[in-house]
Every structure is written in C-alpha cells, then in structure tokens.
Amino acid sequence: MKIIIDTKEKIAEMAADRYVRLLKEKPNAVLGGATGSTPLGLYAELSRRCKAGEISFKDAMSFNLDEYVGLDGTHDQSYRYFMNENLFNHIDIDINKTFVPSGIDTDSASDYDKAIQAAGGIDMQLLGIGNNGHIGFNEPGTPFGSETHVVELTESTRSANARFFESIDEVPTHAVTMGIKTVMNARSVILMAIGSAKAEIIKATIQGPVTEEVPASVLQLHPDVEFYIDYEAAALL
Ligand code: GLP
C-alpha cells in the first residue's frame, strides 16, 4: 500500500502522472473510471495533458464503476453523461471503447464482469470514497465476493448526492455498481479522497479493521493500491 498526502491540486497531478506512466507502458490499457467531485481535478489535468500531447488514450478502453438505475446516458445526472462531459469529450479515447453500466437494462448487470474479463481485465481502477466508506455504490455490508449488481442506495448516500438534483425525491433509489470483487480483480487501484468530511472514513479505511461494514477497507488486502489524499482528508491518519 502506498499513501500519498499533499494538496488537492498536487494529488491530481500525481495521479495524472500515474496515468501517463501506465499508458506509456501499455497504450491499450483498460482503465476503471469513477465519478463524483473528487476525480474532477484529475480529469481536468488528464484533459489538459492530452490536448498538450503528453498522454494519449487512443488505444485505451475504460469501464466505469457505476450508474444510477432509471437514468439513461442523456440525463445530466447520469454517470455516462458525467464521464462524457468531464473526461471523454476532452481526450482522444474512442467513445465506443468506453463503458458505463446500463441504468436502464439492469438485467445485463452480470454481463459487465464478463465484458471486463473479455477485455483482459482492468489495469488500473480509480476510486473515490463515500462518507460511509462505499466504493462505487457498494454500501456497507456488501459481500466482498460481490460482482456487478443492482443495489438499493442508503439514505446517507442519497442525501449526500442530493446536491446534484433538484430535490432528494429525484435522487434514484437504486444503482448498478461493479462489485467489491470486480474492483479487487483490477491489477492496480488508486483511491482519491479530498476534504475534511472524508477524514474519519479514510482513517477507518487505512488503519481500521478489514470489514464489510467499511467497504473500502478491503483495499488493505489489494497487492497494488495507492491512496492519493489531500491534507484535510488525511488529518486523522
Ligand atoms: C458517489 C459515487 C462514488 C463516489 C462517491 C463520492 O456515491 N458512486 O463512486 O466515490 O459518490 O463522491 P465525491 O467524490 O463527490 O465525494
């Protein structure tokens, strides 16, 4: 486990450096994408570097972690829309090689793991973290053996995400998410956390017991995991 603590600007740059190294070594790498406000600085940096010719995604593929059930990719709160707006439209990736679980055809959830395997597995999975330790939308109590599946969102997650919707009633009640096992199967994982609201859960994730009650704590068992944390989120370590 590697832990990098710096300002939020610097961790975005250092995480971007990690992508540069990976894509230099393996231009056709399979990337695991994440949404939320945390990766926005990283995505802006990757977009900037791609425009400057410092990195290319033209042979890469990507699989996102999760999607809200009931929102199609044109909905401005869908994670497909988020990825297009914040990353894919600004880099040279082939959009046909970017995948986000379908929030509409949820019967196909288990095919997502098969598609990842058929692509050769994820080389590097990016993660944010929920205030309750969720990764993707794997809420506390999710079995570590889980693959891509539909979940009911906790009230704490729905109210944390309500800021992006007109009201909490509009926040979907369910989501489809890669499972914990899907994430752990990635050859490497990077988790980013920013801000004091994440300080307690970052401490529990890195220094607490490995427990399904703190989904991100499973990362202690991953052979190649890096945490990129700003000073505020690292305050209790
Ligand atoms: C959502 C996403 C997670 C993300 C989390 C934290 O619930 N499903 O993948 O990590 O939000 O979001 P933020 O980065 O905005 O704190």
Side-chain angles (χ1 to χ4, degrees), residues 35-39 65-66 79 128-130 134 136-137 157 161 163 198:
T35 54
S37 42
T38 307
L65 279 167
D66 48 11
Y79 285 168
I129 185 168
H134 72 230
F137 268 131
T157 296
N161 291 359
R163 65 190 194 276
K198 300 286 168 68

Side-chain angles (χ1 to χ4, degrees), residues 129-133 160 163 193-203 230 232-236:
I129 185 168
N131 293 336
N132 60 5
R163 65 190 194 276
I194 293 171
S196 56
K198 300 286 168 68
E200 263 179 48
I201 199 64
I202 280 296
K203 182 177 171 60
D230 79 344
E232 285 77 19
L236 299 177

Side-chain angles (χ1 to χ4, degrees), residues 167-225:
S167 77
I168 185 149
D169 299 335
E170 289 186 19
V171 184
T173 54
H174 291 76
V176 51
T177 181
M178 282 186 195
I180 302 279
K181 187 172 158 197
T182 321
V183 170
M184 289 297 280
N185 279 343
R187 282 184 273 282
S188 63
V189 176
I190 64 179
L191 183 145
M192 298 183 76
I194 293 171
S196 56
K198 300 286 168 68
E200 263 179 48
I201 199 64
I202 280 296
K203 182 177 171 60
T205 294
I206 295 177
Q207 295 175 337
V210 175
T211 163
E212 289 177 351
E213 290 315 307
V214 180
S217 67
V218 73
L219 297 172
Q220 292 180 32
L221 306 177
H222 196 284
D224 184 357
V225 59

Side-chain angles (χ1 to χ4, degrees), residues 20 38 50 60 87-88 105 116 142 146 167 178 188 207 215 229-230:
V20 171
T38 307
C50 191
L87 185 65
F88 299 149
D105 175 17
I116 292 170
T142 306
S146 53
S167 77
M178 282 186 195
S188 63
Q207 295 175 337
I229 313 172
D230 79 344

